[in-house]
């Protein structure tokens, strides 16, 4: 076997600044994949930009809004995932407490249909803010994997979760994860070997160099098979608060000669997907 990695820029379509940064990184060849938020007002323009580049994004199933941008609306208006004003909450715990599986899958259907209607038929999906994984309460993994199987989609669920979680899962979560991987295999849903991203704030990191060193370590630790590193590059002025600094650092990392030298030195092949 060999080591392969999908380098993904998440959140295409979040807002104009993020769309422009990701489109530039795609055009420059610094990322090998991206994921599209369909519920944002920016989604139409983002879809047009990637079509012009000849890039097929993954469906970033989006069931919550984000702080710092106007709240998004679900495409199918499902009551259990929308608040009284018809928008998606920005609290993933509130979503997990009230969301119903039928509404989650109905919204995933609507977002997939939106992409297909815009000539972007995805071959894989993942979960924005990890809302279907059960990290914030109720898990919707089984329903999501069955949905992926019906539509022939791969899904971002790591076979080995430790690099993402930073260590072993607690026993109940470990058992649930093992069951989800077994279900995916039985359904024929392709999964990455592992996934990794930065989960620390600018205050935790302190400097760009610490973020870069962390990603260099993650790159060196990639196992055999196909894994995914997913980042959230953007402009600092496009994302309010300290998250904007980290997103700027991630955009800088992807253009950093030190990063590209490490990819070559580690003999890791960059690929567009973990599915065959």
């Amino acid at each position: 076997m060999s080591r392969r990695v999908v380098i993904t820029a998440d959140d295409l379509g979040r807002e104009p600044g993020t769309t422009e940064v990701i489109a530039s990184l795609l055009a420059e060849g610094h990322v090998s994949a991206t994921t599209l938020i369909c519920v944002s007002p920016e989604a139409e323009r983002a879809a047009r930009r990637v079509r012009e580049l000849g890039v097929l994004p993954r469906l970033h199933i989006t069931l919550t809004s984000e702080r710092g941008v106007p709240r998004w609306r679900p495409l199918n208006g499902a009551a259990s995932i929308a608040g009284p004003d018809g928008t998606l909450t920005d609290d993933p715990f509130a979503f997990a407490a009230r969301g119903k599986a039928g509404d989650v899958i109905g919204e995933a259907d609507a977002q997939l249909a939106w992409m297909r209607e815009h000539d972007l038929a995805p071959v894989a999906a993942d979960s924005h803010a990890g809302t279907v994984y059960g990290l914030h309460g109720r898990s919707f993994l089984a329903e999501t994997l069955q949905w992926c199987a019906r539509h022939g989609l791969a899904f971002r669920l790591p076979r080995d979760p430790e690099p993402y979680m930073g260590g072993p899962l607690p026993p109940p979560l470990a058992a649930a994860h093992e069951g989800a991987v077994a279900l995916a295999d039985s359904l024929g849903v392709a999964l990455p070997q592992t996934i990794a991203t930065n989960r620390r704030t600018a205050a935790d990191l302190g400097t760009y160099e610490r973020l870069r060193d962390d990603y260099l370590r993650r790159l060196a630790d990639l196992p055999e098979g196909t894994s995914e590193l997913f980042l959230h590059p953007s402009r600092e002025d496009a994302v309010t608060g300290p998250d904007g600094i980290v997103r700027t650092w991630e955009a800088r990392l992807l253009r950093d000669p030190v990063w590209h030298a490490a990819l070559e030195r580690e003999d890791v092949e960059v690929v567009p997907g973990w599915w065959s």
Side-chain angles (χ1 to χ4, degrees):
M1 294 182 69
S2 60
R3 296 194 300 161
R4 296 175 296 276
V5 64
V6 184
I7 302 178
T8 302
D10 264 0
D11 292 355
L12 179 74
R14 181 187 185 274
E15 28 61 34
T18 295
T19 294
E20 286 307 314
V21 169
I22 293 176
S24 295
L25 290 166
L26 287 165
E28 296 161 12
H30 295 315
V31 294
S32 62
T34 189
T35 63
L36 177 62
I37 294 174
C38 300
V39 296
S40 165
E42 173 67 7
E44 291 269 0
R45 194 174 76 95
R48 184 168 63 251
R49 292 287 283 118
V50 289
R51 283 198 307 269
E52 292 167 353
L53 293 169
V55 174
L56 180 61
R58 296 202 301 269
L59 171 56
H60 207 39
I61 302 170
T62 303
L63 303 168
T64 55
S65 295
E66 283 198 356
R67 295 178 178 88
V69 294
R71 287 192 176 186
W72 300 320
R73 292 180 177 272
L75 298 186
N76 74 346
S80 76
I81 64 172
D85 63 353
T87 65
L88 297 170
T89 178
D90 57 16
D91 181 354
F93 291 96
F95 158 77
R98 72 186 188 206
K100 295 181 180 178
D103 289 343
V104 167
I105 297 307
E107 180 61 23
D109 276 331
Q111 294 180 21
L112 178 60
W114 188 98
M115 288 193 69
R116 289 172 171 170
E117 289 164 4
H118 288 77
D119 297 323
L120 295 171
V123 295
D126 48 64
S127 173
H128 178 64
T131 47
V132 307
Y133 294 115
L135 301 176
H136 307 97
R138 180 177 175 180
S139 169
F140 299 94
L141 258 181
E143 295 90 347
T144 301
L145 290 170
Q146 291 161 354
W147 175 82
C148 286
R150 287 197 300 274
H151 293 287
L153 302 174
F155 189 69
R156 180 198 279 167
L157 172 70
R159 294 184 177 280
D160 176 4
E162 289 196 18
Y164 177 73
M165 298 300 296
L169 296 176
L173 199 55
H177 173 266
E178 183 178 347
V181 170
L183 176 61
D185 287 343
S186 71
L187 294 169
V189 176
L191 309 177
Q193 181 60 33
T194 192
I195 63 175
T197 192
N198 171 66
R199 302 178 69 191
R200 293 192 289 174
T201 67
D204 293 334
L205 291 163
T207 65
Y208 162 73
E209 287 73 20
R210 287 191 64 184
L211 175 94
R212 183 179 66 186
D213 289 346
D214 187 56
Y215 272 110
L216 292 173
R217 176 187 58 79
R218 292 177 184 278
L219 181 66
D221 289 345
L222 289 178
E224 294 287 309
T226 305
S227 300
E228 181 182 20
L229 293 178
F230 62 98
L231 302 88
H232 304 83
S234 187
R235 298 195 314 248
E236 187 173 345
D237 65 334
V239 181
T240 60
D243 284 350
I245 299 172
V246 174
R247 290 183 182 232
T248 300
W249 287 349
E250 292 197 327
R252 178 180 171 186
L253 170 79
L254 291 164
R255 294 185 170 104
D256 193 327
V258 174
W259 169 251
H260 289 281
L263 282 171
E264 186 171 347
R265 181 177 64 251
E266 292 290 341
D267 194 27
V268 177
E269 180 186 3
V270 178
V271 296
W274 58 83
W275 49 93
S276 58

